[in-house]
Amino acid sequence: MNTIEPYAAVAMQLTARSVERCPDTAAARAQILAQIAEVEGQIRSARIFIEQFQGRPVRLAVLPEYLFTSYPGPIGISQFAERAAFAADGPEYAALGGVAERLGLFLAGNAYESDPHFPGFYFQTSFVIDPAGAVVLRYRRLLSMFAPSPHDVWDAYLDHYGLDGVFPVADTAIGRIAAIASEEILYPEVARAMAFRGAEVFVHSSSEIGSPLATAKDVAKRARAWENMAYVISANTAGIADCALPLASADGNSQIVGPNGKLLAQSLSGETFTAFAEIDIAHLRSSRRVPAMTNSLARQRPSLFAPVYADAPGQEANGMLSNGAPQVPERDHFLRAQANVIAKLSIAGVI
């Protein structure tokens, strides 16, 4: 295995821009492309400072959750897919690929994405683009309160993408990278599944409340790093513009956590690049190969817990398939699905 020299990574804390007030699809698409061009200059300036300050090349920049569109809000699923979802071969990814290529770094981010296999749907997607401009990782969020999940169309999704498409890990020149979307950082199963597939660096795009207190997500980021012996690079929004929310409702606390669960860098509020740190993959790989009490991966016993998970009540697969065909739901579907799970948990005596 080739040795990877230490490098710098940065969590770019930037303002998400909602497309909610755009008068039509053309205006929304134009706004998205204009913001992508703006972000290129912000990353370039941050890279210059970091490389002068730290002396390491910046090889990875992580962008916040849904930076270019914000969340759908009251817009219906099919309507939002038409207005703002990126196509895999669309102009938005082409523009982002150009940014990564011109800057010569890996670019990670998060967007809503359409899929020709599932017309009218969108999936919240975390992506990694390499310095040649190619998308080398595409992860669709599995656990979401108000968005379709691959699990909702599970049989059809596996037919098209297989399990590798559900839990992807990209083996890159800067390490093995996996993505965690937003509040999925609260669920240890997502990160653990990626770690068992070799993930060394988790890129985490988020849009969350910033606080001087230890939030649930802050605690979870450190836990996911420690229990999987992996880096967590978490980029939060610096507020959401052009919507009804107060600007700073989701702002601050972007951070990088080391494999020992300790903070390496953290931002305060506002637009900033100050969450940057050195990533040392060679040292991480060496640590993972040493028998020790702190080697959480080597001490884990997955088969011990498998029967409990298999029997546990939860949301069922294929909730958006009807006779094998994908069916776009109304928004009230999500609350009804959760209510059904609560009822099953109650019957089982879990709650």
Side-chain angles (χ1 to χ4, degrees):
M1 188 176 293
N2 294 332
T3 298
I4 299 173
E5 293 296 320
Y7 61 89
V10 58
M12 297 293 298
Q13 188 166 286
L14 303 174
T15 304
R17 194 169 298 163
S18 175
V19 297
E20 184 177 328
R21 294 175 179 170
C22 292
D24 52 34
T25 296
R29 299 290 176 176
Q31 177 177 295
I32 290 167
L33 291 173
Q35 190 179 6
I36 291 173
E38 181 182 321
V39 165
E40 179 175 356
Q42 293 173 309
I43 298 173
R44 178 179 288 108
S45 297
R47 185 187 65 183
I48 291 170
F49 180 92
I50 294 167
E51 291 182 349
Q52 290 177 343
F53 181 84
Q54 195 174 54
R56 297 290 190 189
V58 176
R59 302 193 67 188
L60 173 61
V62 181
L63 302 176
E65 181 183 11
Y66 48 54
L67 175 65
F68 303 107
T69 63
S70 187
Y71 60 95
I75 305 174
I77 291 173
S78 295
Q79 292 74 25
F80 191 79
E82 172 66 25
R83 171 172 289 210
F86 295 10
D89 59 352
E92 297 85 9
Y93 277 124
L96 288 164
V99 172
E101 189 172 12
R102 286 186 293 273
L103 296 177
L105 47 67
F106 287 82
L107 181 64
N110 177 275
Y112 292 95
E113 188 174 87
S114 59
D115 188 318
H117 298 301
F118 302 95
F121 278 71
Y122 58 71
F123 296 103
Q124 191 177 2
T125 302
S126 293
F127 58 82
V128 176
I129 301 172
D130 72 10
V135 177
V136 295
L137 183 137
R138 174 173 279 110
Y139 165 71
R140 265 78 179 270
R141 181 172 172 176
L142 298 172
L143 300 175
S144 181
M145 184 70 187
F146 293 112
S149 161
H151 195 239
D152 292 317
V153 289
W154 189 237
D155 291 345
Y157 200 89
L158 289 178
D159 285 345
H160 292 298
Y161 298 108
L163 201 61
D164 286 343
V166 177
F167 297 108
V169 177
D171 193 355
T172 77
I174 60 170
R176 293 189 290 268
I177 303 175
I180 302 171
S182 188
E183 67 176 357
E184 283 188 323
I185 198 72
L186 298 172
Y187 298 88
E189 296 85 356
V190 174
R192 182 70 89 191
M194 305 294 191
F196 281 145
R197 297 172 73 86
E200 299 165 325
V201 176
F202 292 117
V203 292
H204 177 236
S205 297
S206 191
S207 183
E208 62 192 69
I209 297 168
S211 173
L213 303 175
T215 66
K217 288 186 179 180
D218 278 338
V219 173
K221 291 166 194 176
R222 300 186 196 191
R224 300 298 85 82
W226 185 89
E227 67 200 11
N228 295 297
M229 302 181 74
Y231 289 94
V232 172
I233 302 168
S234 179
N236 192 26
T237 48
I240 303 175
D242 301 327
C243 70
L245 284 175
L247 178 63
S249 297
D251 177 22
N253 291 22
S254 294
Q255 59 193 252
I256 298 181
V257 186
N260 57 5
K262 294 181 180 179
L263 274 177
L264 301 178
Q266 184 175 29
S267 298
L268 288 176
S269 60
E271 292 205 320
T272 181
F273 64 92
T274 50
F276 64 87
E278 181 181 286
I279 307 299
D280 191 342
I281 297 298
H283 183 265
L284 169 62
R285 289 177 176 176
S286 175
S287 298
R288 283 180 164 189
R289 295 189 184 100
V290 176
M293 289 184 69
T294 55
N295 194 325
S296 55
L297 282 179
R299 295 182 64 191
Q300 186 55 269
R301 299 173 185 239
S303 63
L304 178 65
F305 308 104
V308 177
Y309 272 84
D311 293 339
Q315 292 203 25
E316 300 291 342
N318 299 317
M320 296 179 190
L321 284 183
S322 177
N323 296 320
Q327 300 293 319
V328 178
E330 299 296 330
R331 288 220 168 267
D332 64 353
H333 164 88
F334 300 101
L335 288 175
R336 285 189 286 106
Q338 192 176 81
N340 288 337
V341 175
I342 291 171
K344 288 190 290 185
L345 291 169
S346 179
I347 292 170
V350 176
I351 59 175

